[in-house]
Amino acid sequence: MPKGKPPKEGSVSKTTSASRTASQPGLRSNLTHYLLRDEPEADMEPDIAKCVNTAIDRLRKTFVKEINSLQDDFNKAIDDLRQSVLELAEQNSTLKERCDVLEQRVTTLEHDKTSHDSLINKQERFTRRNNIRIVGVKTTEGEDGIQLATMVLDEVGVQSCKIERAHRDGKTVSGRDRHLLVKLSFYQDKVSIMKNARRALATKDYYIVDDLTQTDLKEKRKWMKQVQELYHNDVKLRFSGGLWRSNDGKPYKFE
């Protein structure tokens, strides 16, 4: 029982309530404990101040502890991120080196492919060196290719050339006759035929063209419109060796 005045009616219940509240830590419980005491206010003030200071000090320590904990967690997170960035930078450097190697390999392969394609085209061009195509000759049942070729070449004015073989070639298209592919024995006969064919067959429904590779045919068709415009302006070109050439045999440079 605290010193001072005798307890008033109901003081037992107040003491019990104060004891229950005092069991809870913190400034509120301590202040409640001291306010419920029946001592004079002059005696209670130092205890209240001490209680407040103690609570504030405890809160300060708790706050500082939490701040330090947060700072430690933050620093750890920063260190983890820094390590992750370093690892990613190292991986990126490794991947860049691998990409550079792969890019170099691709460049080499593309160069090799272009070189191989050029060599293959030259080889195929050589195998077609003595070939010509007769376009527009009507197809008849049981026809003889060599006889048809001989008839056309006689009209061109080259009667003595030797024909190794002649046969239809190309896809079947409705309403269009397939080309007659002719292989000559001598290249000089082909040169004579190509020189005379346009003039000799000007009034016929058929004509003679060179037997080009797919690569050369694509190159020829690529500039056909410009070649026709140049022809109307008295600039005559011929396609030879996979390129359009002027009369002096040099490749023509299209604008």
Side-chain angles (χ1 to χ4, degrees):
M1 180 72 65
K3 297 180 180 180
K5 298 180 181 179
K8 298 181 181 180
E9 184 179 357
S11 61
V12 176
S13 60
K14 291 182 179 180
T15 304
T16 304
S17 175
S19 299
R20 188 182 301 113
T21 306
S23 62
Q24 301 177 1
L27 177 61
R28 179 181 177 185
S29 60
N30 291 333
L31 289 175
T32 303
H33 173 73
Y34 282 103
L35 288 174
L36 291 177
R37 297 175 62 177
D38 294 329
E39 296 179 357
E41 293 183 0
D43 296 336
M44 294 174 59
E45 287 181 359
D47 292 336
I48 294 174
K50 181 179 180 181
C51 176
V52 170
N53 292 333
T54 301
I56 291 175
D57 186 61
R58 185 184 300 114
L59 289 174
R60 184 186 296 109
K61 291 180 179 179
T62 302
F63 183 73
V64 171
K65 182 179 180 181
E66 291 294 330
I67 290 296
N68 291 336
S69 178
L70 289 174
Q71 187 175 5
D72 292 341
D73 293 341
F74 182 76
N75 291 336
K76 185 177 183 303
I78 292 297
D79 291 339
D80 292 341
L81 288 174
R82 184 182 294 108
Q83 183 64 29
S84 298
V85 170
L86 292 176
E87 292 176 358
L88 289 175
E90 184 178 356
Q91 293 177 5
N92 183 63
S93 177
T94 302
L95 290 175
K96 186 178 184 303
E97 292 177 358
R98 294 180 61 185
C99 286
D100 291 340
V101 173
L102 290 175
E103 184 177 356
Q104 183 61 36
R105 290 182 61 185
V106 169
T107 301
T108 302
L109 289 174
E110 288 178 347
H111 178 269
D112 291 344
K113 181 181 181 300
T114 302
S115 179
H116 292 162
D117 289 344
S118 178
L119 291 174
I120 291 172
N121 187 57
K122 287 181 179 179
Q123 182 63 30
E124 185 179 358
R125 187 187 298 155
F126 181 78
T127 62
R128 299 175 182 230
R129 187 168 184 265
N130 293 353
N131 294 358
I132 60 172
R133 287 179 177 268
I134 304 176
V135 184
V137 176
K138 297 297 181 181
T139 304
T140 59
E141 186 176 355
E143 67 184 10
D144 187 316
I146 293 181
Q147 289 182 358
L148 279 175
T150 300
M151 178 194 70
V152 173
L153 296 182
D154 286 345
E155 293 178 347
V156 172
V158 184
Q159 295 90 357
S160 60
C161 66
K162 183 177 180 180
I163 299 174
E164 288 189 13
R165 62 176 181 270
H167 58 83
R168 295 286 177 175
D169 182 68
K171 296 181 180 179
T172 301
V173 180
S174 178
R176 184 183 301 177
D177 295 292
R178 294 195 299 163
H179 295 182
L180 184 64
L181 179 60
V182 181
K183 182 176 180 60
L184 305 171
S185 296
F186 301 104
Y187 178 72
Q188 289 302 322
D189 289 337
K190 176 181 177 178
V191 173
S192 299
I193 292 169
M194 297 303 293
K195 284 182 178 180
N196 300 328
R198 176 175 295 191
R199 177 181 53 79
L201 303 177
T203 59
K204 303 295 181 179
D205 295 331
Y206 44 85
Y207 55 93
I208 296 175
V209 296
D210 195 0
D211 182 31
L212 300 177
T213 66
Q214 288 295 323
T215 301
D216 291 348
L217 185 60
K218 182 178 179 181
E219 179 67 19
K220 181 180 180 180
R221 290 174 175 173
K222 178 180 179 180
W223 305 105
M224 185 62 71
K225 183 177 180 180
Q226 289 88 329
V227 170
Q228 292 174 350
E229 293 175 353
L230 289 171
Y231 182 80
H232 292 309
N233 295 326
D234 294 331
V235 179
K236 297 181 181 180
L237 303 178
R238 62 186 180 87
F239 193 83
S240 176
L243 296 171
W244 282 104
R245 302 177 185 274
S246 54
N247 290 332
D248 57 4
K250 294 181 180 180
Y252 185 84
K253 293 183 179 180
F254 294 94
E255 296 181 357

